[in-house]
């Protein structure tokens, strides 16, 4: 009887160890998948940024910042969609302070933006995040202002030229996307990956 109890306890212990090992393997696998999606999303975001910045710089060099605002209002979504198609993904830029109302962050995105703002206040790194949303891996990647961005997103009177401010007001009468400083969180790239 005693041998049977010891054998039963040994079987239970081995089963628990195997289960824990499998659960640990599943966790490691899940972390690896998440990291792979994070890197894939970052590649997509970097491709998108590069294409947008290159085209915006060309427009600014050729015609000035005010005309570049108009270029951006017409072409930014098309350029972003072209990268999305190449990568079989969906890419959006969202913010809590949109210039274009179509870029207003939803509740989940706003929660992440607010969490990043707390990190920003503490001068901590602003990490991306990967979540499963509606069955798709969705990456949230912070957008921070560079010096160049301030020409359209900085402070009126110091960073924005009067003609740029006038163009923004004519194209976006409800604009909320000015008043930023350099290296400040402006929003998120949201990348939905299959």
């Amino acid at each position: 009887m005693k041998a049977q109890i010891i054998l039963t306890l040994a079987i239970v212990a081995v089963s628990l160890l195997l289960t824990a090992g499998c659960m640990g393997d599943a966790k490691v696998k899940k972390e690896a998948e998440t990291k792979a999606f994070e890197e894939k999303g970052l590649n997509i975001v970097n491709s998108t940024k590069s294409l947008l910045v290159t085209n915006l710089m060309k427009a600014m060099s050729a015609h000035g910042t005010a005309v570049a605002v108009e270029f951006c209002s017409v072409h930014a979504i098309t350029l972003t969609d072209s990268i999305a198609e190449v990568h079989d993904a969906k890419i959006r830029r969202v913010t809590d302070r949109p210039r274009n109302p179509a870029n207003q962050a939803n509740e989940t995105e706003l929660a992440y933006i607010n969490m990043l703002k707390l990190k920003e206040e503490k001068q901590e790194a602003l990490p991306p995040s990967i979540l499963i949303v509606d069955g798709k891996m969705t990456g949230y990647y912070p957008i921070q202002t560079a010096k160049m961005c301030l020409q359209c997103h900085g402070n009126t009177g110091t960073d924005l030229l009067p003609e740029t401010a006038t163009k923004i007001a004519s194209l976006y009468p409800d604009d909320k996307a000015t008043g930023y400083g350099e290296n400040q969180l402006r929003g998120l790239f949201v990348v939905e990956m299959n």
Side-chain angles (χ1 to χ4, degrees):
M1 179 72 129
K2 189 174 183 181
Q4 190 176 12
I5 291 173
I6 292 174
L7 180 61
T8 302
L9 288 175
I11 291 171
V12 169
V14 169
S15 295
L16 288 173
L17 286 173
L18 289 174
T19 302
C22 291
M23 288 174 65
D25 289 346
K27 183 179 178 185
V28 168
K29 182 179 177 187
K30 181 70 174 166
E31 287 173 358
E33 283 178 356
T34 300
K35 189 68 176 165
F37 272 103
E38 183 180 311
E39 289 173 10
K40 178 181 177 185
L42 186 58
N43 181 38
I44 294 168
V45 166
N46 287 337
S47 296
T48 305
K49 279 185 197 176
S50 179
L51 183 64
L52 290 172
V53 168
T54 299
N55 281 278
L56 195 54
M57 296 275 295
K58 284 180 187 175
M60 289 171 80
S61 294
H63 307 289
T65 305
V67 173
V69 169
E70 190 166 353
F71 173 86
C72 194
S73 75
V74 173
H75 298 289
I77 291 174
T78 305
L79 291 169
T80 301
D81 287 348
S82 71
I83 296 291
E85 189 174 322
V86 167
H87 292 280
D88 189 28
K90 183 178 178 185
I91 308 165
R92 296 179 298 117
R93 291 176 301 143
V94 300
T95 182
D96 57 335
R97 293 170 46 193
R99 173 157 288 159
N100 180 340
N103 297 118
Q104 175 64 53
N106 66 31
E107 192 174 313
T108 302
E109 296 156 353
L110 285 172
Y112 192 66
I113 288 170
N114 289 330
M115 186 274 299
L116 289 174
K117 284 183 176 184
L118 293 174
K119 287 187 167 295
E120 185 177 52
E121 285 175 13
K122 296 176 186 175
Q123 298 182 338
E124 296 177 3
L126 306 183
S129 180
I130 301 289
L131 300 173
I132 298 175
V133 179
D134 296 329
K136 293 185 180 183
M137 294 299 268
T138 303
Y140 299 99
Y141 299 85
I143 299 172
Q144 291 178 277
T145 53
K147 188 171 181 85
M148 181 189 95
C149 304
L150 301 183
Q151 294 177 55
C152 297
H153 293 286
N155 292 299
T156 305
T158 55
D159 300 313
L160 274 75
L161 295 172
E163 61 268 18
T164 303
T166 300
K167 180 58 80 173
I168 290 169
S170 73
L171 292 171
Y172 304 101
D174 296 322
D175 177 52
K176 297 176 187 154
T178 57
Y180 288 97
E182 194 172 355
N183 297 318
Q184 190 173 6
L185 179 70
R186 196 172 73 72
L188 301 170
F189 275 102
V190 178
V191 182
E192 294 176 14
M193 297 165 274
N194 295 318

